[in-house]
Amino acid sequence: MIYKKNSLLMDGFRIDFLGHKFKTPMYCYSSKKIRNNILNFKNIFKKINPLICYAVKANSNLSILKEIKNHDLGADVVSIGELMKALKAGIKPQKIVFSGVGKTSEEIEYAINKNILLINAESKSEILQIEKIAKKRKKIVNIGIRLNPNTDAGTLSQISTGKKENKFGVNQKLFLELVNFSKRSKYLKLKCLSVHIGSQILNHMPYQRMLGVVNKTINLSRHQFEYIDLGGGMGIDYEHKNLSLNFKKYSQNISNFVKKNNCKIIFEPGRSIIGNTAVLITKVIYVKEGYKKDFIILDAAMNDLMRPALYGAKHKILPSRKNKRISKKVYEFVGPVCESTDKFATLLKFQKLKERDFLVICDVGAYGTSLASNYNLRPKPIEVLIKGKNIQIIKKRQKLSELI
Ligand code: LLP
């Protein structure tokens, strides 16, 4: 995103032009950014040559999945729906891992039928269920077991997953029992230890602690794991303050780990691949004077982008045209939905805005559309992808007639 002559541009297209042409609210993605993120990710970890399984939950638009597949990534899925869509995008079953605490028998059967790389199990009951289905089908099924390393990732509490009070994975004691159980089974092939400690992580220390726990657990298990799946969670710089995970240190720690354990690494990144590749373009419907602050009422709302309402997450807001007049009052950017949490930001010293101005909400590629809903019976927004000089509509705006 850059300003040229005070107009905000995305990959050479003026935001005002996009807003007028496709109407707002609209999601706009950059194919170039997706490519750059993937090349960067591969480059950072090239020494360990991991299998990169993109976390489909971050964004499951079919065209986006195809872009990602064209860069040879695999997929991490958490439901039969995501699995079907990853396959439809052309991602090879041998590059797909299935995570999640509540896979149903139908989902397990489907995954077994499709011969995916791994089903990462998260409980004893699930392993028993996988074994039962494998036995019925007379098939040997490749599994992983998810360890809960009891590591605090220091993220928003709502998105922490690696602490013992979280529902994910199994503790070390049970993990070791399940390793022994799986090794005795004729129908299970235990190939992987998986972990994922949380999301939007910007400090490498929790990862380092997690690797320590994984290392110890492998030693105690005396099992040779072919794969260690380290999950995702790498954070991005939402506040545009040059904050970033120290990838060099993380990658160095993993290299040392691989030397000791002689295994192939799997990653499941979502946000770090797709997060900063999209903006939500929105228009000011009304400027409403309030007590001590003005409400900037946008045509985008919490149903289009849920993260601020759900987690108090911050997303940078930029005007599509810069001016030099600064508002004396605080601006509160809100949507039209009938909830007080339908609020994107409260900002001081924003430039003066007027009705019908366009704005962009930045870094909405991950968990933007995938968390969107029809709350207040609002249709889901249009999604477009900029690809060089072309703009493709990758999801039409939902029609009201589909909802009514
Ligand atoms: N693998 C597993 C097992 C996961 O649970 C997740 C995310 C990922 C990989 C991908 O994590 P990432 O690289 O994207 O951080 N809706 C929240 C984020 C929830 C993340 C859930 N699990 C948000 O908008 O911040």
Side-chain angles (χ1 to χ4, degrees):
M1 307 287 303
I2 50 160
Y3 283 99
K4 240 188 193 164
K5 292 187 184 151
N6 292 329
S7 265
L8 188 58
L9 305 182
M10 180 155 175
D11 288 0
F13 289 95
R14 279 178 41 234
I15 295 297
D16 279 1
F17 162 80
L18 295 168
H20 279 297
K21 184 168 168 72
F22 296 102
K23 307 284 180 290
T24 52
M26 64 173 278
Y27 272 85
C28 183
Y29 300 84
S30 158
S31 166
K32 195 166 99 188
K33 272 219 150 144
I34 297 175
R35 178 173 180 272
N36 285 346
N37 286 348
I38 295 176
L39 295 183
N40 264 340
F41 197 97
K42 285 185 177 171
N43 195 33
I44 288 163
F45 294 108
K46 70 168 180 282
K47 256 171 90 190
I48 51 180
N49 188 28
L51 171 62
I52 308 170
C53 294
Y54 164 72
V56 174
K57 66 171 85 63
N59 191 309
S60 55
N61 183 296
L62 190 61
S63 304
I64 298 288
L65 291 181
K66 284 184 182 163
E67 293 275 311
I68 286 170
K69 175 233 139 195
N70 288 341
H71 293 290
D72 287 330
L73 266 56
D76 158 48
V77 301
V78 292
S79 69
I80 191 168
E82 286 189 357
L83 175 50
M84 286 173 169
K85 216 159 171 186
L87 292 169
K88 187 168 173 181
I91 297 175
K92 298 218 168 61
Q94 275 306 301
K95 287 187 171 180
I96 299 182
V97 299
F98 197 160
S99 317
V101 293
K103 300 174 203 80
T104 64
S105 316
E106 186 200 2
E107 291 181 309
I108 295 168
E109 291 227 36
Y110 187 82
I112 292 178
N113 268 343
K114 294 292 173 189
N115 290 317
I116 66 169
L117 180 64
L118 289 167
I119 302 180
N120 284 338
E122 303 215 17
S123 63
K124 186 170 181 176
S125 305
E126 188 187 358
I127 292 187
L128 293 174
Q129 189 63 12
I130 298 171
E131 195 198 34
K132 196 167 139 195
I133 296 171
K135 192 171 175 183
K136 196 172 79 190
R137 305 234 148 194
K138 299 195 174 60
K139 239 179 154 170
I140 296 170
V141 176
N142 296 332
I143 63 161
I145 306 176
R146 179 162 171 184
L147 172 72
N148 181 325
N150 192 20
T151 305
D152 187 352
T155 60
L156 293 168
S157 62
Q158 301 98 321
I159 54 176
S160 142
T161 54
K163 291 199 278 181
K164 63 176 186 293
E165 58 267 33
N166 299 132
K167 68 180 172 186
F168 301 97
V170 295
N171 64 31
Q172 191 182 66
K173 185 167 169 279
L174 182 55
F175 182 91
L176 297 172
E177 273 172 49
L178 293 176
V179 169
N180 288 332
F181 173 83
S182 308
K183 279 164 84 168
R184 285 196 304 269
S185 165
K186 274 202 294 188
Y187 299 97
L188 300 175
K189 191 157 174 81
L190 177 59
K191 288 201 159 187
C192 177
L193 178 158
S194 79
V195 271
H196 170 81
I197 54 174
S199 201
Q200 185 52 18
I201 299 170
L202 286 169
N203 179 348
H204 69 281
M205 285 311 286
Y207 280 127
Q208 196 167 315
R209 285 196 291 273
M210 165 191 97
L211 284 172
V213 179
V214 171
N215 203 26
K216 232 187 212 158
T217 312
I218 296 176
N219 289 341
L220 288 170
S221 77
R222 300 213 200 109
H223 182 66
Q224 176 62 47
F225 289 95
E226 187 175 338
Y227 298 100
I228 301 294
D229 178 344
L230 296 174
M234 298 83 164
I236 63 168
D237 185 20
Y238 280 111
E239 297 184 55
H240 296 190
K241 286 184 180 158
N242 284 330
L243 288 174
S244 120
L245 177 67
N246 190 335
F247 275 101
K248 215 171 149 187
K249 285 217 169 108
Y250 186 32
S251 134
Q252 190 54 49
N253 288 338
I254 299 174
S255 292
N256 296 339
F257 173 90
V258 169
K259 267 185 218 143
K260 265 188 248 156
N261 292 296
N262 185 29
C263 53
K264 172 119 181 144
I265 296 292
I266 299 177
F267 285 120
E268 303 171 350
R271 196 188 314 266
S272 49
I273 300 296
I274 201 70
N276 67 357
T277 67
V279 296
L280 174 58
I281 306 178
T282 175
K283 193 162 72 176
V284 178
I285 308 179
Y286 296 120
V287 177
K288 177 173 170 174
E289 284 194 26
Y291 176 66
K292 286 194 179 163
K293 60 186 172 193
D294 284 348
F295 293 101
I296 304 297
I297 302 178
L298 304 174
D299 62 2
M302 65 189 280
N303 72 296
D304 305 304
L305 175 66
M306 181 85 146
R307 303 191 68 254
L310 199 56
Y311 317 113
K314 292 197 171 78
H315 287 263
K316 195 110 189 142
I317 300 180
L318 300 173
S320 71
R321 276 162 179 276
K322 257 192 194 165
N323 68 43
K324 293 211 167 66
R325 286 168 295 133
I326 302 293
S327 163
K328 288 201 184 74
K329 279 170 99 181
V330 172
Y331 276 166
E332 189 151 301
F333 294 85
V334 302
V337 159
C338 304
E339 297 270 353
S340 293
T341 54
D342 182 24
K343 185 166 79 181
F344 293 111
T346 308
L347 301 174
L348 250 171
K349 294 189 183 158
F350 204 85
Q351 75 173 43
K352 251 190 143 40
L353 292 171
K354 54 183 192 328
E355 294 171 2
R356 289 191 295 281
D357 279 351
F358 288 113
L359 297 166
V360 304
I361 305 181
C362 299
D363 308 314
V364 296
Y367 310 104
T369 52
S370 62
L371 279 173
S373 77
N374 290 121
Y375 187 40
N376 278 206
L377 222 54
R378 289 168 52 89
K380 290 195 190 162
I382 184 171
E383 293 172 55
V384 307
L385 173 70
I386 302 179
K387 238 180 151 168
K389 290 198 162 52
N390 298 319
I391 305 176
Q392 292 173 5
I393 296 180
I394 57 171
K395 174 83 52 79
K396 289 187 186 148
R397 186 179 305 286
Q398 210 174 16
K399 288 201 180 77
L400 270 176
S401 55
E402 290 170 46
L403 298 176
I404 297 164

